[in-house]
Amino acid sequence: MDEAKRKQFIARLSRALGREQELCPAYVEGFDYSKGPQETMFQDLSHEQVIEMFKAECDKNGTKYINTTPDKLGETILAAIADWGNGKVVFPSSSEVEEYKLKELFEQDAKSNNGERTYFQWDASLGREVCISNTANADIGVTFPYCGIAETATVVQASDVESGRAISLLPDTHIAVVYTDSIRPRMTQTMEHLQERYDADPSAFPSNICLISGPSRTADIELVRVDGAHGPIQCTYILVDR
């Protein structure tokens, strides 16, 4: 924007605000951030209260949740898959899959479930077309978000070579495994956590970070609610206490 157009633009704003001076002000007083509620709200809550807030928000937005422990994570995931009617399941190539030996568990299950559940692991070495095609045809996507936000029952899901964003977007059902000690009260603390994470290792910054607050729905058109407009229509959070 050149100087003349900039002055015209500022003049229109000034007239709309009822100011006599139509030019850009020479000085703008800095905003007082000392009383910002974003820094102090929910700071006195205990960990248990933060988790209860998260669960209460899940109830509001129609997200199922299950509590479990690391030693029972595999069986809990299988139970959640069965709860949503089984089908084709896509899962990432993340460190959690290796840690809990989920690939081996899924392979064993596929041999004994009479075709009720089939599995595909997101593997970038197979190529984008293969991964996207298999994910688009999947019924359920399993992911391991970085953390959760209690105020809105949101999970923070990164997209990288190990876990493409399609896993949490294309299947009808999303199962997200969240560690309860990673759940923060509000967006403020979550952004601070992410900043610390990537300041320590900038090269690990993902191509995309999705904030997912339960099943997808919108009421943009004539206030008519439509489920699944931007992603899964069903969602379960598996809350892992460790």
Side-chain angles (χ1 to χ4, degrees):
M1 182 182 294
D2 60 34
E3 185 64 21
K5 291 182 179 178
R6 178 173 175 271
K7 289 182 178 180
Q8 292 175 1
F9 177 73
I10 296 297
R12 288 197 297 271
L13 293 180
S14 296
R15 287 194 295 270
L17 294 171
R19 296 173 179 167
E20 295 181 2
Q21 177 66 36
E22 292 190 348
L23 299 178
C24 185
Y27 171 76
V28 177
E29 185 176 351
F31 189 80
D32 179 14
Y33 290 99
S34 63
K35 299 180 181 179
Q38 71 275 8
E39 302 294 339
T40 58
M41 187 175 292
F42 304 141
Q43 66 177 356
D44 297 325
L45 293 183
S46 66
H47 173 68
E48 290 73 18
Q49 289 173 315
V50 170
I51 302 306
E52 287 306 311
M53 181 195 299
F54 186 90
K55 292 179 179 179
E57 293 303 314
C58 285
D59 291 333
K60 291 179 183 178
N61 65 28
T63 300
K64 292 185 178 183
Y65 56 85
I66 310 169
N67 273 97
T68 192
T69 52
D71 60 308
K72 296 181 179 180
L73 178 57
E75 62 184 80
T76 304
I77 292 176
L78 290 179
I81 292 170
D83 181 55
W84 287 120
N86 297 312
K88 183 177 180 179
V89 180
V90 58
F91 63 100
S93 298
S94 62
S95 59
E96 293 88 355
V97 171
E98 293 186 13
E99 179 181 355
Y100 298 108
K101 302 186 185 305
L102 296 181
K103 183 177 181 180
E104 293 80 359
L105 174 68
F106 294 155
E107 289 176 346
Q108 181 179 0
D109 179 62
K111 294 177 181 178
S112 60
N113 65 36
N114 296 319
E116 290 185 344
R117 294 174 294 278
T118 60
Y119 300 92
F120 172 78
Q121 184 173 27
W122 181 279
D123 183 352
S125 67
L126 298 176
R128 184 177 186 276
E129 294 295 330
V130 173
C131 288
I132 294 296
S133 176
N134 276 280
T135 304
N137 293 322
D139 300 290
I140 298 172
V142 178
T143 67
F144 293 83
Y146 282 167
C147 56
I149 306 174
E151 189 176 30
T152 52
T154 296
V155 294
V156 181
Q157 177 66 52
S159 305
D160 53 30
V161 69
E162 297 177 345
S163 182
R165 61 181 173 179
I167 299 178
S168 63
L169 289 174
L170 296 184
D172 287 340
T173 300
H174 180 203
I175 296 175
V177 181
V178 188
Y179 295 115
T180 54
D181 59 9
S182 76
I183 298 177
R184 269 70 177 175
R186 308 190 73 231
M187 179 73 74
T188 307
Q189 294 81 13
T190 303
M191 292 299 104
E192 290 174 352
H193 165 67
L194 292 180
Q195 182 174 3
E196 292 175 1
R197 182 186 184 111
Y198 295 121
D199 279 350
D201 186 9
S203 64
F205 197 88
S207 61
N208 177 277
I209 296 179
C210 297
L211 303 181
I212 304 169
S213 302
S216 170
R217 59 173 56 99
T218 183
D220 290 344
I221 301 175
E222 297 184 356
L223 299 181
V224 176
R225 195 181 85 174
V226 178
D227 293 334
H230 312 104
I233 60 176
Q234 302 163 157
C235 189
T236 292
Y237 294 158
I238 297 178
L239 306 179
V240 183
D241 301 315
R242 57 179 178 177

